[in-house]
Amino acid sequence: MTHARKIREGSQGVVVKIILGLVILSFALAGIGGYLGRTTEQPVAEVNGVVIGQSDFARAFENERARLEQQFGEYFNQIAQDPNYMAQVRQGVVERLVQQELQTQLAKELGLRISDEKVKQTILEMPYFQMGGEFSNDRYLQVIRQMNYQPDSFREFLREDMTRSQLVQAVAGTDFVLENEVKSAMALEMQTRKVNYAILGKSTVVDTMSVSDDEVKDYYDLNQNLFQSEEQVAVEYIELSANDVQLASAPSEEDVKAYYEEQKSHYSEPERRRVAHILIDNSEDDAKAKEKAEAILARLNAGEEFAKLAETESSDVVSAEVGGDLDWIEKDMMDPAFEEAAFALTNKGDISGIVKSEFGYHIIKLTDLQQGKVKALADVHDELLAELERNAKVDAFYQKQTAIAEKAFEIADSLLDASEAAGVEVKKLPLMAKSALPEPLNNAAVTRVLATPEILEDRVNSEIVEVGPEHIVVVRIADYKPATTKPLDDVKDTIVKRLKTEKASTEVKAQADALYAKIQAGEAFDAVVSQANLDVKAEDALARRSYSVAPAIVKEAFKLPHPTESSKPVAVVELASGDAALVQLVAVNPVSVEEALNEQQSKNFEMAQANKNYITLLEALKAQADVKFVKVAAASQE
């Protein structure tokens, strides 16, 4: 059996759908622009001779940055000032691009490929390209052009992405677990441990730490990027929302009446009929079936009960059990001939003649009737009026939007003409940090526009920026103040405090190491911590997901080897707070899983195994590949 065949057969498991969601999410982080446009200019990485170009990285980085802005909101502008954090973001983007290229190469090697028809169907079903629940070609072209793609190149990008997804499905779908494996894993997961620990807090020594002016100056010189004031912009903008559009005149009563007639079907309850039938199948002998139907009709006319004859004579075994009842029907639900005959019956209890359909010969009985109803105009008047006003506002909105777009482009150095064309005012904001911009400018799309060179440097009007449904802005930078390094005097106190804290953390770690050395030399844990005037805390049943204890202590407690009667292992732990701790493992509390496992427990474990195996595959591919990284220039990306 070939590799490709194994993969295709293994791609249908239940866990596939779970793990695939996680993996697709990781693809989304790099942005759909990160897959195409391979270029040899300014490479950021090379995978088995295939270059990942700067344009790939730029698209992926921009999409990742937009995702982070959406996730963290205004706080992102603060964390983005940390160069170490942004360096990690950039490196993460490059790593994902490398992983995707490795998957693409493996998929090609295995002969995996998505058909043209499948790609087309996926595009038609994508919600991004739909309007009113249906695919819109105009919307499709608009979206992909915003991403700098043409239809051909977008289809190839999507094919590549779907092929990678097929590979992911295969990896996840080949995993299975045995019940004893799940029980063993659950026993380890549910295991608890008895520990003693003592914390050496940096706060006890921080006030004794001293910091010289030279140390402050050196730290300032080496970390000036940490002391940047945020860039500021003075923004002029015009805003247009359909909700705020003022209509020249409200819809008239005649308009409401006309609209009511147009929409009357939406306010109608159609006529319904409840019917029963007796069906005689004619698939084997039409003449004989017709003869039987006529005989049954004669018996009905002679007074025999319809329900009993349906039960004994009807070929429709399902309805026969309930006297031939087919429940309520409306028009356009049934076979045309059947429906015509059913809706020709006028009174409850009426029985039709012989009716032939594609299923055979029917005798139909009308058992109940509900006449169609239409809501009166008065009952829906206010609803219709509001809908007409909304439609009129939306129409006026798009007319004004077109006028704004034309004037903002024609006269690019001022928003005045665009504002007059749409009857809106030009709003002006003084110099302020981008993170402090008010609504509707506190929007990731606006932030990205304000950072583009033509807007920032040339001071021209932006294009239309959509900030909500039927809600747009056009922005222009009137003034700009770049980020600058704050003077040393302004940040000196912050630096002193930071350096004292770092020194205090180093000191308590050294103290913890010294106490640990005494324990290793044979002194008792309790005696050592007591001599150091430390409080000992005990956890009799510490679980892996305990939140009452620092995570680093929990992690170390479950790494320590099992204790014996003569030896209880001890470790030094550095905490995220900067404190240090001594941790002693006293006992392990095992758990036995004897009862039968439910389906969800097995699925969770299978998903974890599949995820681990997928990560292992990526690591193996990378280890076997010739991967070269090129340092990405930070300045060009932020």
Side-chain angles (χ1 to χ4, degrees), residues 229-287:
S229 62
E230 190 176 348
E231 62 178 346
Q232 296 182 312
V233 290
V235 179
E236 296 178 354
Y237 70 101
I238 53 178
E239 177 184 7
L240 181 66
S241 170
N243 293 332
D244 298 331
V245 170
Q246 298 296 319
L247 298 177
S249 61
S252 67
E253 288 302 312
E254 292 301 317
D255 293 331
V256 175
K257 290 178 181 178
Y259 193 55
Y260 171 74
E261 293 299 325
E262 291 177 10
Q263 302 295 318
K264 185 177 288 186
S265 61
H266 295 167
Y267 302 102
S268 301
E269 295 180 8
E271 178 184 350
R272 299 199 309 162
R273 291 170 177 248
R274 187 161 191 162
V275 297
H277 80 143
I278 299 172
L279 171 67
I280 306 302
D281 180 23
N282 67 340
S283 58
E284 294 184 0
D285 190 331
D286 183 79

Side-chain angles (χ1 to χ4, degrees), residues 234-236 429 459 476-480:
V235 179
E236 296 178 354
L429 297 174
R459 308 289 173 88
R476 177 178 174 274
I477 292 180
D479 197 4
Y480 173 73

Side-chain angles (χ1 to χ4, degrees), residues 41-60:
E41 297 180 2
Q42 301 182 19
V44 295
E46 187 175 316
V47 183
N48 293 327
V50 177
V51 168
I52 298 175
Q54 184 69 34
S55 59
D56 295 326
F57 173 82
R59 288 193 187 103

Side-chain angles (χ1 to χ4, degrees), residues 376-622:
L377 173 59
D379 295 335
V380 296
H381 177 278
D382 292 345
E383 180 183 340
L384 291 172
L385 179 61
E387 192 170 332
L388 279 173
E389 288 179 344
R390 175 63 185 171
N391 292 343
K393 285 187 174 185
V394 169
D395 290 341
F397 166 82
Y398 282 110
Q399 292 175 6
K400 290 176 178 288
Q401 176 179 300
T402 300
I404 287 175
E406 291 175 352
K407 289 297 183 182
F409 177 77
E410 293 173 1
I411 307 171
D413 59 352
S414 171
L415 286 171
L416 184 60
D417 294 270
S419 68
E420 291 176 349
V424 295
E425 64 174 322
V426 178
K427 300 177 182 179
K428 299 181 180 181
L429 297 174
L431 278 170
M432 65 177 64
K434 286 183 181 179
S435 60
L437 290 172
E439 290 186 348
L441 304 186
N442 58 345
N443 180 289
V446 175
T447 302
R448 287 196 297 273
V449 167
L450 291 175
T452 56
E454 60 269 23
I455 305 300
L456 185 60
E457 298 170 7
D458 300 339
R459 308 289 173 88
V460 296
N461 300 330
S462 74
E463 295 181 349
I464 296 291
V465 182
E466 186 175 349
V467 294
E470 281 85 43
H471 189 185
I472 58 99
V473 295
V474 177
V475 296
R476 177 178 174 274
I477 292 180
D479 197 4
Y480 173 73
K481 184 178 180 181
T484 57
T485 304
K486 298 177 182 178
L488 175 58
D489 289 342
D490 291 354
V491 298
K492 182 177 181 180
D493 291 344
T494 300
I495 295 175
V496 169
K497 184 177 180 180
R498 187 172 297 178
L499 290 175
K500 281 189 173 184
T501 300
E502 290 179 359
K503 287 187 175 185
S505 295
T506 302
E507 174 62 22
V508 295
K509 174 61 168 57
Q511 292 177 7
D513 287 337
L515 298 177
Y516 176 74
K518 289 183 179 182
I519 296 171
Q520 292 299 97
E523 295 188 41
F525 177 87
D526 292 341
V528 170
V529 296
S530 177
Q531 292 169 8
N533 295 318
L534 299 175
D535 292 331
V536 178
K537 296 181 180 180
E539 289 283 340
D540 292 336
L542 184 69
R544 293 179 188 272
R545 289 181 173 81
S546 295
Y547 300 104
S548 59
V549 179
I553 293 177
V554 177
K555 183 177 180 181
E556 188 62 37
F558 280 89
K559 288 173 60 178
L560 289 171
H562 285 216
T564 63
E565 291 185 5
S566 59
S567 175
K568 294 180 173 55
V570 177
V572 175
V573 179
E574 294 183 58
L575 306 183
S577 63
D579 297 336
L582 285 171
V583 181
Q584 180 188 50
L585 178 59
V586 179
V588 173
N589 307 318
V591 174
S592 177
V593 180
E594 299 297 340
E595 66 275 10
L597 301 174
N598 62 46
E599 184 179 357
Q600 188 59 49
Q601 289 172 322
S602 297
K603 283 183 179 179
N604 289 344
F605 184 73
E606 189 174 348
M607 182 183 71
Q609 286 293 102
N611 191 37
K612 184 168 65 175
N613 290 343
Y614 176 73
I615 293 172
T616 300
L617 171 65
L618 291 179
E619 292 174 347
L621 289 175
K622 186 175 179 181

Side-chain angles (χ1 to χ4, degrees), residues 160-225:
E160 191 175 328
D161 184 42
M162 292 171 66
T163 302
R164 276 194 292 267
S165 296
Q166 189 180 55
L167 178 65
V168 173
Q169 289 178 332
V171 174
T174 56
D175 279 301
F176 66 92
V177 291
L178 302 176
E179 185 172 356
N180 65 326
E181 290 182 282
V182 181
K183 287 185 175 182
S184 297
M186 288 187 64
L188 284 174
E189 182 68 21
M190 296 166 63
Q191 179 194 95
T192 62
R193 297 194 167 196
K194 182 177 181 180
V195 299
N196 295 327
Y197 67 95
I199 295 178
L200 293 79
K202 65 181 186 297
S203 60
T204 60
V205 299
V206 68
D207 291 337
T208 66
M209 301 293 106
S210 60
V211 177
S212 69
D213 289 342
D214 287 342
E215 288 177 308
V216 172
K217 181 66 164 58
D218 289 343
Y219 189 89
Y220 176 77
D221 291 340
L222 292 173
N223 298 279
Q224 289 196 2
N225 52 344

